[in-house]
Amino acid sequence: MTNRLSVFIDISSYLTGFGAVDLHGTGMGPTYLATVEKATSAETLSFFFETAAQILRTGAGDESAINAMIAADLFPVSCFGGLAQNIILMWYTGQWPPAVAASPSLAQARNISPDAYVQGLVWTAADTHPPGAKQPGYGSWASPPLGTR
Amino acid sequence: MESEIFDVVIVGSGIAGSVLAKTLTQAGKRVLLLEAGLQAGAELRPEEAFATYQHYVETFHDKAIPATNGPYPDIPEAPSPNVLQIQAATPYYTGYLVQKGPLPFASDCLRAPGGTTLHWLGNVPRMLPNDFKMKTLYGQGVDWPISYEDLVPYYELAEREIGVAGDVAAQRGPDMGRDDYGADYVFPMLEIPPSYQDQVWKLRSQNLTVMLDGEPYVVDCVSMPQGRNSIPNPRYRPGAIVWDKQIGRFVIDHETPTYPVTGSLWSPYTGERCEGNASCVPICPVQAKYNALKTLKKADQRRLTIVTQAVASKLLIDRQTGEVTGIEYKRYRSLEDPTYETHTATGRLYVLAGSALENPKLLLASDAANSSDQVGRNLMDHMVMLAWGLFPEKVYPYRGPGCTTYIPTFRDGAFRKDFAAWISPLDNWGWSWPTGAPGSDVSTAVGTLGLFGKALRDYIADRVTRQALLHFECEQLPEPDNRITIDPQYIDVLGNPRPVIHYDASPYMRKSFAAAKKVATQIFAANGIEDFTEYKPSDADYVTWEGNGYTFEGAGHIVGTHRMGNDPKTSVVKPSQQCWDHPNLYLVGCGNMPTLGTSNPTLTMTALTFMAAESILKQLEGVRQ
């Protein structure tokens, strides 16, 4: 794994509230990093990753310290063109940038890829699965989801 | 094709056209089926059917807002309406429908092999006996020329064909009960299990008394019959639907020992049960949900000729006898290439089996069947008012079929003299319809509330899991000025007319929105649901009644533009569904329905189609009717 991908996954973990293993498990990490790299100027990207790496290094695993630094130096839309917020939306919805805002019409709005939709974290966060994929089986909807009972 | 004479030429391969293609070919008739959609969609062999369908599923996963028609090809040569193009300000001319207003028509259908059953939800409640007598009982709309009792045997055929899963004993409500189905009748498959959230709803809603205009109504929650596969009911007497020439009726031949569940087009072992994809609309990835291609595949293929990419453009008519002499159609090359050749299909009888938008369009373009001036009039839909809020506890929506339980309480009653009846499905898919949830919840949490990390995840886990949606499908009445017309100004790439729509919500409808909102408020209060419903003047179909605003959505239940009746002066087809004006032309589909009732119309329309198939076979065989 490249250093940049490693930083991307680690900072994404703090941004999304999902563990690094969960993020790796989606299989989307390299695709999402490439998406970010393609859509962002080299200069902004470099500042973003420097800041992210520094936050991770300084925080040294202290979650509340890291969150405070993210809130101050990474999350605001004024930082790096709102990159951090778009990264969160990408992990949750599989879209870059939020497709509806970026597309000429609703009908033309696209996800990053069909897989990106299927791997959207919003469904996991909501204790369900993406409609039309990862189907939980006949009658599963009659009980609370597995893991919540 | 020109040189061949078929017994019957059918336009459209949706559920009506497919039921006819199956029943007529199995009864020994030679059928030509013209379908406007792409050839790939009509491939019924396993490998090709799988490839096409996987492409649909992938397109669904690719589109950020797939809506109802998103997974399917958008064909310039045979356009379909798109609900994502609906605008508040009428008139407008973009998109397929020409919306003259004053309100935009908000429903769509699909022009593709299999028709709108590809994206339908699959709810199949029967209409109520009183729905057929609206004029007599309530002084509203019109009576049907047939009764509920007349339709019962055909409902049974339709439920057999679709493969209905449900509990007959649960079909209660005003004007509906076990006797209306018959003491021994069961659906082919057992009920689809009710969702977890249905069970929470029922705790505080079952037998709840709500007040409306000073009258008490007791809320009931009952299981929704559905066209999707569950467990075969051992008490169902299975069998094939066969044409009994002697008595001139379809009968169910009870030879088969167990009900044969129909799986996907590509494998009988895929889609044998609903797998909980929670995406019935717009697409069931495993085809556990019924679609009309399953019926089409059961046709006797030796007697069936399907011509795709064939858009019917004109009926040729002998003006002396009224006989249809052929159907002119334009066969285009491909999705990308609208170059076409014009052909004429000929047969002994002709059937238009398009939607209630396409059938009247073709009739009007052909100056056909319209001595009553009713073609294109009485366009109806369920006007759907939504109410949404947050449960106090987690109910885990976004799981299971779209609806597993409904409230029948306001489907019938003396109030129908004053305002529209409605059916209230309990929705299993959270706020996805009104707000675009859960994506909109993520945007709000991040962009507005400034949440990230575990706080964001906790917010989604708390909020999305508590989303409740109740909806009110209000029965629109037939009105002559809610109509489809055509205008040479507005044509598609093949030069065929686009539907020009005039549409409005009458006081009878607006009053029902106000009544339904009062009921929603009481049900929400009893459930401790915090109300988040918001109707905005900027909404496409925002209307006011007595100073308050309401928004309705389209239900996709497009009905009523060539209604049946006993009087040629006020109806387009006879009860046999033969046109009054043309002895060899039948119309089938939702356009034949004189009124809508509060049922999703597909089941009733399919029952009517079996009735039409009998009339067609009797005419072909020279039986007096």
Side-chain angles (χ1 to χ4, degrees):
Chain A
M1 191 164 57
T2 65
N3 184 47
R4 192 174 254 185
L5 180 58
S6 170
V7 172
F8 179 67
I9 293 288
D10 287 347
I11 202 69
S12 288
S13 174
Y14 287 100
L15 289 171
T16 61
F18 282 80
V21 170
D22 292 325
L23 300 186
H24 281 299
T26 65
M28 298 308 297
T31 302
Y32 287 173
L33 176 58
T35 303
V36 168
E37 286 175 333
K38 194 176 162 197
T40 315
S41 75
E43 194 183 17
T44 304
L45 208 58
S46 156
F47 286 131
F48 175 85
F49 277 103
E50 268 175 41
T51 308
Q54 182 161 353
I55 288 172
L56 294 167
R57 211 164 37 239
T58 313
D62 178 342
E63 191 174 340
S64 61
I66 290 173
N67 282 344
M69 286 185 275
I70 287 175
D73 302 328
L74 206 65
F75 182 81
V77 284
S78 55
C79 302
F80 316 110
L83 189 54
Q85 295 194 18
N86 280 346
I87 288 172
I88 296 172
L89 295 177
M90 176 168 64
W91 280 107
Y92 269 73
T93 66
Q95 296 170 14
W96 181 277
V100 177
S103 304
S105 79
L106 297 179
Q108 286 172 33
R110 290 289 187 277
N111 298 312
I112 291 170
S113 69
D115 282 346
Y117 162 76
V118 171
Q119 298 301 335
L121 296 178
V122 63
W123 307 108
T124 313
D127 287 314
T128 182
H129 62 96
K134 299 183 182 174
Q135 68 271 33
Y138 180 75
S140 55
W141 55 87
S143 310
L146 285 173
T148 65
R149 295 173 213 172
Chain B
M1 234 52 70
E2 266 92 335
S3 61
E4 238 176 313
I5 299 281
F6 292 89
D7 291 311
V8 184
V9 177
I10 301 169
V11 177
S13 70
I15 187 167
S18 290
V19 162
L20 289 176
K22 179 191 149 180
T23 53
L24 300 180
T25 56
Q26 288 187 348
K29 307 305 172 195
R30 295 176 62 237
V31 169
L32 172 64
L33 181 56
L34 300 177
E35 165 55 49
L38 301 178
Q39 172 61 26
E43 297 285 0
L44 300 172
R45 291 185 301 271
E47 277 184 31
E48 287 87 346
F50 180 76
T52 298
Y53 206 74
Q54 288 313 302
H55 182 68
Y56 294 164
V57 171
E58 180 131 322
T59 306
F60 164 50
H61 290 168
D62 189 45
K63 287 193 176 176
I65 305 177
T68 39
N69 281 343
Y72 310 103
D74 182 9
I75 310 168
E77 298 92 339
S80 298
N82 187 335
V83 292
L84 297 176
Q85 292 169 333
I86 294 162
Q87 300 170 26
T90 57
Y92 63 91
Y93 312 97
T94 51
Y96 176 49
L97 303 181
V98 177
Q99 300 265 14
K100 290 285 190 181
L103 293 172
F105 185 69
S107 277
D108 68 5
C109 50
L110 181 65
R111 294 170 79 190
T116 310
T117 56
L118 293 181
H119 85 216
W120 77 319
L121 178 55
N123 288 353
V124 286
R126 291 185 184 181
M127 284 175 65
L128 310 178
N130 286 351
D131 292 338
F132 296 79
K133 301 177 282 192
M134 285 294 289
K135 188 74 185 174
T136 299
L137 293 174
Y138 304 117
Q140 296 286 356
V142 291
D143 288 350
W144 285 49
I146 58 172
S147 68
Y148 174 84
E149 291 72 23
D150 293 331
L151 208 52
V152 165
Y154 302 95
Y155 270 134
E156 294 182 3
L157 295 173
E159 286 158 355
R160 169 68 181 79
E161 186 62 44
I162 291 169
V164 173
D167 178 8
V168 170
Q171 302 313 305
R172 302 182 299 262
D175 194 39
M176 181 51 74
R178 170 46 95 175
D179 289 349
D180 294 305
Y181 282 83
D184 298 324
Y185 185 70
V186 295
F187 292 124
M189 291 176 279
L190 300 175
E191 73 165 354
I192 298 277
S195 67
Y196 174 72
Q197 70 159 330
D198 287 349
Q199 299 163 51
V200 178
W201 274 109
K202 279 185 223 171
L203 287 177
R204 305 177 198 108
S205 309
Q206 187 80 49
N207 298 323
L208 172 72
T209 299
V210 294
M211 300 299 294
L212 191 57
D213 296 339
E215 292 286 325
Y217 295 85
V218 178
V219 172
D220 197 2
C221 301
V222 304
S223 163
M224 178 63 88
Q226 295 163 61
R228 74 189 89 257
N229 290 334
S230 74
I231 297 164
N233 187 337
R235 289 181 52 217
Y236 183 73
R237 294 190 62 206
I241 296 169
V242 294
W243 170 242
D244 186 327
K245 202 168 175 173
Q246 301 307 315
I247 59 172
R249 298 284 293 259
F250 287 113
V251 295
I252 296 180
D253 140 45
H254 293 291
E255 294 295 316
T256 327
T258 53
Y259 172 73
V261 175
T262 306
S264 69
L265 291 174
W266 56 88
S267 165
Y269 306 114
T270 298
E272 276 193 296
R273 301 286 184 275
C274 170
E275 297 181 9
N277 267 290
S279 63
C280 325
V281 181
I283 188 165
C284 174
V286 298
Q287 291 192 344
K289 181 186 76 176
Y290 171 84
N291 70 62
L293 297 172
K294 296 188 182 195
T295 292
L296 193 58
K297 192 172 179 174
K298 291 173 187 164
D300 184 338
Q301 305 297 330
R302 295 166 305 174
R303 301 193 182 95
L304 176 62
T305 303
I306 303 175
V307 181
T308 55
Q309 301 174 195
V311 186
S313 51
K314 197 177 182 186
L315 302 179
L316 307 176
I317 295 165
D318 180 333
R319 298 287 168 188
Q320 299 295 315
T321 63
E323 293 256 346
V324 175
T325 56
I327 296 181
E328 186 186 276
Y329 64 95
K330 295 173 177 171
R331 187 143 199 236
Y332 60 91
R333 281 205 189 144
S334 69
L335 187 66
E336 297 81 14
D337 182 357
T339 314
Y340 65 87
E341 290 175 357
T342 304
H343 300 269
T344 302
T346 50
R348 292 168 65 196
L349 300 183
Y350 298 86
V351 187
L352 303 190
S355 68
L357 296 179
E358 297 304 321
N359 277 358
K361 202 188 85 176
L362 182 55
L363 292 170
L364 291 169
S366 311
D367 190 19
N370 201 18
S371 62
S372 63
D373 187 36
Q374 293 301 305
V375 171
R377 295 189 185 274
N378 311 304
L379 173 66
M380 292 172 270
D381 189 8
H382 286 122
M383 292 179 156
V384 182
M385 199 187 75
L386 306 175
W388 60 101
L390 288 181
F391 267 105
E393 71 264 59
K394 294 185 179 186
V395 297
Y396 303 108
Y398 300 92
R399 299 185 309 135
C403 163
T404 37
T405 297
Y406 68 97
I407 297 173
T409 308
F410 292 92
R411 294 186 71 191
D412 187 47
F415 62 84
R416 289 175 102 174
K417 289 177 184 150
D418 301 322
F419 59 85
W422 66 77
I423 190 168
S424 282
L426 306 177
D427 287 86
N428 285 334
W429 296 343
W431 297 359
S432 52
W433 193 353
T435 73
S440 56
D441 296 294
V442 178
S443 304
T444 303
V446 175
T448 309
L449 304 176
L451 299 177
F452 66 88
K454 287 191 177 142
L456 167 63
R457 190 172 172 179
D458 289 346
Y459 175 84
I460 297 298
D462 172 67
R463 187 179 177 92
V464 177
T465 53
R466 294 192 290 126
Q467 291 178 350
L469 176 67
L470 190 57
H471 78 264
F472 300 84
E473 302 204 359
C474 303
E475 177 193 23
Q476 188 170 25
L477 292 177
E479 290 171 52
D481 293 336
N482 286 336
R483 65 185 298 201
I484 293 161
T485 60
I486 57 170
D487 180 330
Q489 277 187 77
Y490 305 114
I491 54 172
D492 64 25
V493 296
L494 293 190
N496 290 320
R498 291 157 52 195
V500 178
I501 298 195
H502 297 78
Y503 197 63
D504 202 0
S506 67
Y508 185 82
M509 301 310 300
R510 295 173 192 230
K511 198 173 174 186
S512 75
F513 303 151
K517 189 71 179 68
K518 286 182 186 133
V519 170
T521 301
Q522 294 174 69
I523 294 176
F524 276 17
N527 282 277
I529 292 171
E530 186 185 352
D531 199 338
F532 280 77
T533 308
E534 190 183 9
Y535 305 129
K536 291 181 284 209
S538 57
D539 292 338
D541 279 309
Y542 176 85
V543 297
T544 58
W545 179 250
E546 293 182 341
N548 289 303
Y550 306 91
T551 298
F552 71 88
E553 314 279 335
H557 301 164
I558 308 173
V559 161
T561 51
H562 45 77
R563 68 185 179 194
M564 60 158 64
N566 282 324
D567 183 351
K569 292 190 194 67
T570 56
S571 61
V572 180
V573 295
K574 303 172 184 179
S576 65
Q577 297 165 74
Q578 183 191 48
C579 286
W580 288 109
D581 296 348
H582 308 287
N584 64 341
L585 177 63
Y586 286 79
L587 308 180
V588 294
C590 286
N592 284 347
M593 294 171 65
T595 62
L596 178 51
T598 55
S599 299
N600 312 53
T602 297
L603 179 77
T604 299
M605 175 266 269
T606 306
L608 289 172
T609 303
F610 276 104
M611 216 176 209
E614 285 187 351
S615 305
I616 289 164
L617 283 168
K618 284 192 236 179
Q619 184 170 349
L620 286 171
E621 290 173 4
V623 180
R624 278 178 63 92
Q625 300 190 57

